[in-house]
């Protein structure tokens, strides 16, 4: 049985092809999905998605959304998604530093929440590059 | 008129001897007058402008040349704007097409999950239907002018909706998106505006997110009880309609069951829903039904249904707003394209008539000069 993965963002289709296995970060922790997985629906956290093609692992940074698995068909709907190989390491590192600085400066509840979110996004992008494969 | 022409003619020829001028005057006038009148009689439609440019001949020739040049330049500009708009329309359409799989799957999933959640008692903040006291209107306009009646149409629609809400005795506030709308509402301080936002050249998820955040906080804090989106629906390259669309409260059942018993809804609103959505949605619904059969019965939820809806509904809200922005942009560009193509056609026509007048006058001048020479030669013999 083959497993088909489809990653969609509002702007474009990021990924639409066959995979062997994926590891998805959901709101309640990471789950691994192999062919013939039970049908589930889950919210996707800001985090990395790991994809296995034969013996090669790929990573992707996901910015929160939703996933539906069933019938050997995985549909991931996210606000934004970037392939690890497409992210500029320097730029991502800089963004992370800026986000950290912003969080230290943040005052009030709303700002703190926003800064936290930005930090998590930035950290995910850096992780997506530096993941050990 | 002819008299002044003649004096000009004569005075402009200092080389002619005084003796010949008398005979020349009587000689010229019968020829000069018909050739003077002919361009006017041949262009009755543009009588005012052409006759005014024709009246003083010498000045007229130069002026005509200037006018032809300026019309030519205008035509070049409008032509270029048309081409730019056409290229951008294509890009905008591509963006819409690229976004389609996402929104279609989203609606499908939402429908899917709602069917399962119907039995459970869930309470998501975005779906709360409250008695309506205050309405937020998100008005999407363009950033630039020169696109025919595009901005006017949507602003008029907003004004009509505002007076309608006033008539119902409801409070309202406006969220203006796009520079044209911003300047319009800034000039009218009696219309309460919550926020001014700018559209940007090509709407992305980021812009939609900014609007969604604002709308979300307004709605969740119960400052407003209903959010309506006013934008221009893209029908085709030559047709676009300003529409009103209820954004919040979201129906937890997805788009399909949006028909709400709210008294605030204009009858028009429902009409739009039928035309703009039903056409598309009947298709989507059909797709969903076939899939749900072999799909949903055993679908498990990894988290609480509430959490899943929490993850889904903001996505849905975003994609709705993004789509509205994209359609509005596409209609703006299409409107600009047709406006500029009309302008180019008009410029071409104007240039043609002006050149005819110019050539006639030039011909008349040359004929006159030849006559002068012949008359002079005759006088010398």
């Amino acid at each position: 049985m083959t497993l088909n993965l489809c990653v969609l963002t509002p702007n474009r289709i990021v990924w639409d092809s066959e995979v062997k296995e994926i590891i998805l970060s959901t709101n309640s922790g990471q789950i691994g999905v192999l062919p013939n997985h039970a049908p589930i629906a889950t919210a996707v956290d800001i985090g990395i998605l790991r994809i296995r093609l034969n013996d090669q692992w790929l990573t992707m940074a996901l910015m929160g959304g939703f996933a539906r698995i069933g019938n050997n068909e995985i549909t991931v709907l996210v606000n934004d998604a970037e392939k690890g190989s497409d992210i500029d390491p320097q730029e991502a590192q800089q963004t992370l530093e800026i986000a950290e600085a912003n969080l230290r400066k943040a005052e009030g509840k709303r700002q703190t929440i926003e800064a936290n979110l930005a930090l998590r996004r930035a950290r995910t992008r850096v992780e997506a590059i530096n993941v050990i494969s | 008129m002819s008299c002044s022409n003649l004096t000009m003619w004569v005075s402009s020829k200092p080389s002619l001897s005084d003796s010949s001028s008398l005979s020349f005057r009587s000689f010229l006038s019968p020829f000069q007058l018909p050739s003077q009148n002919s361009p006017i009689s041949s262009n009755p439609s543009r009588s005012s402008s052409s006759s005014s440019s024709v009246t003083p001949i010498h000045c007229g020739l130069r002026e005509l040349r200037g006018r032809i040049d300026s019309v030519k330049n205008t035509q070049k500009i409008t032509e270029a704007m048309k081409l730019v708009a056409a290229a951008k329309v294509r890009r905008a359409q591509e963006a819409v097409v690229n976004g389609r799989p996402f929104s279609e799957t989203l609606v499908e999933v939402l429908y899917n999950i709602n069917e399962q959640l119907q039995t459970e008692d869930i309470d998501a903040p975005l779906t709360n239907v409250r008695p309506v006291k205050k309405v937020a209107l998100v008005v999407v306009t363009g950033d630039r002018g020169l696109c025919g009646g595009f901005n006017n149409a949507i602003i008029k629609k907003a004004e009509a909706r505002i007076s309608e809400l006033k008539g119902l005795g409801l409070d309202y506030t406006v969220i203006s998106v796009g520079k044209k709308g911003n300047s319009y509402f800034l000039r009218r301080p009696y219309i309460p505006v919550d926020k001014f936002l700018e559209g940007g050249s090509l709407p992305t998820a980021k812009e939609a997110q900014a609007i969604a955040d604002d709308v979300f906080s307004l709605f969740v804090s119960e400052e407003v009880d209903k959010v309506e989106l006013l934008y221009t629906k893209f029908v085709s390259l030559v047709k676009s309609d300003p529409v009103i669309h209820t954004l919040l409260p979201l129906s937890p059942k997805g788009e399909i069951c949006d028909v709400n018993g709210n008294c605030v809804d204009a009858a028009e609103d429902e009409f739009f829903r039928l035309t703009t959505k039903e056409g598309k949605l009947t298709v989507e619904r059909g797709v969903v039904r076939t899939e749900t059969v072999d799909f949903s019965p055993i679908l498990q939820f990894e988290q609480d249904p509430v959490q899943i809806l929490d993850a889904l509904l903001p996505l849905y809200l975003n994609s709705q707003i993004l789509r509205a922005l994209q359609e509005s942009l596409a209609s703006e560009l299409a409107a600009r394209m047709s406006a500029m193509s009309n302008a180019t056609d008009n410029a071409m026509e104007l240039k043609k008539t002006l050149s005819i007048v110019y050539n006639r006058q030039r011909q008349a001048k040359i004929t006159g000069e030849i006559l002068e020479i012949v008359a002079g030669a005759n006088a010398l013999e």
Side-chain angles (χ1 to χ4, degrees), chain B residues 71 74-76 78-79 82 337-353:
Chain B
V71 168
T74 312
Q75 188 201 349
K76 268 183 206 155
T78 53
E79 180 94 52
K82 179 186 150 194
M337 213 173 91
S338 62
M340 285 303 117
S341 130
N342 282 343
T344 312
D345 289 351
N346 285 344
M348 230 136 78
E349 200 181 309
L350 189 57
K351 206 171 80 183
K352 207 172 137 200
T353 30

Side-chain angles (χ1 to χ4, degrees), chain B residues 134-255:
Chain B
K134 190 168 180 179
V135 178
L137 300 170
V138 181
V139 182
V140 185
T141 55
D143 272 352
R144 281 178 225 191
L146 286 182
C147 46
F150 170 80
N151 288 313
N152 245 341
I154 190 73
I155 284 173
K156 244 184 215 153
K157 189 96 194 163
E159 280 285 3
R161 186 71 184 144
I162 284 172
S163 58
E164 220 173 86
L165 289 175
K166 266 186 194 158
L168 285 167
L170 295 166
D171 217 356
Y172 63 90
T173 183
V174 170
I175 297 166
S176 166
V177 184
K179 276 185 196 150
K180 284 282 160 187
N182 291 356
S183 63
Y184 178 88
F185 289 116
L186 276 175
R187 279 201 304 275
R188 284 161 186 77
Y190 53 86
I191 298 175
V193 177
D194 183 71
K195 206 165 196 176
F196 292 106
L197 294 162
E198 284 193 5
S201 56
L202 201 66
T204 58
K206 225 172 241 171
E207 273 102 43
Q209 183 78 54
I211 299 167
D213 284 349
D214 198 49
V215 164
F216 183 83
S217 62
L218 271 177
F219 187 77
V220 171
S221 64
E222 306 205 0
E223 234 173 272
V224 301
D225 309 293
K226 189 166 191 229
V227 181
E228 290 181 335
L229 186 63
L230 283 87
Y231 68 100
T232 314
K233 172 121 191 117
F234 180 80
V235 181
S236 73
L237 275 180
V238 286
K239 191 176 183 323
S240 50
D241 284 332
V243 296
I244 303 174
H245 170 142
T246 308
L247 200 59
L248 290 174
L250 288 174
S251 158
K253 295 177 178 63
E255 284 183 301

Side-chain angles (χ1 to χ4, degrees), chain B residues 32-195:
Chain B
Q32 180 59 28
L33 278 174
S35 70
Q36 247 294 297
N37 287 339
S38 60
I40 299 172
S41 58
S42 69
N43 303 312
S45 56
R46 336 181 22 255
S47 59
S48 64
S49 60
S50 68
S51 67
S52 69
S53 71
V54 160
T55 319
I57 288 183
H58 252 281
C59 184
L61 262 182
R62 192 170 303 150
E63 201 183 70
L64 269 177
R65 214 177 302 143
R67 280 189 65 179
I68 290 173
D69 280 350
S70 84
V71 168
K72 223 185 261 175
N73 281 339
T74 312
Q75 188 201 349
K76 268 183 206 155
I77 293 168
T78 53
E79 180 94 52
M81 280 182 81
K82 179 186 150 194
L83 292 178
V84 168
K88 279 188 179 165
V89 163
R90 217 163 299 136
R91 268 220 321 251
Q93 275 175 334
E94 261 165 37
V96 172
V97 171
N98 285 345
R100 201 159 279 161
F102 181 83
S103 52
E104 273 172 10
T105 323
L106 191 59
V107 170
E108 192 187 301
V109 169
L110 204 58
Y111 181 80
N112 215 314
I113 283 170
N114 270 299
E115 212 159 59
Q116 306 216 346
L117 291 183
Q118 244 155 21
T119 47
E120 295 178 48
D121 187 29
I122 39 157
D123 181 35
L126 288 181
T127 58
N128 269 345
V129 179
R130 300 188 287 260
V132 179
K133 286 191 255 18
K134 190 168 180 179
V135 178
L137 300 170
V138 181
V139 182
V140 185
T141 55
D143 272 352
R144 281 178 225 191
L146 286 182
C147 46
F150 170 80
N151 288 313
N152 245 341
I154 190 73
I155 284 173
K156 244 184 215 153
K157 189 96 194 163
E159 280 285 3
R161 186 71 184 144
I162 284 172
S163 58
E164 220 173 86
L165 289 175
K166 266 186 194 158
L168 285 167
L170 295 166
D171 217 356
Y172 63 90
T173 183
V174 170
I175 297 166
S176 166
V177 184
K179 276 185 196 150
K180 284 282 160 187
N182 291 356
S183 63
Y184 178 88
F185 289 116
L186 276 175
R187 279 201 304 275
R188 284 161 186 77
Y190 53 86
I191 298 175
V193 177
D194 183 71
K195 206 165 196 176

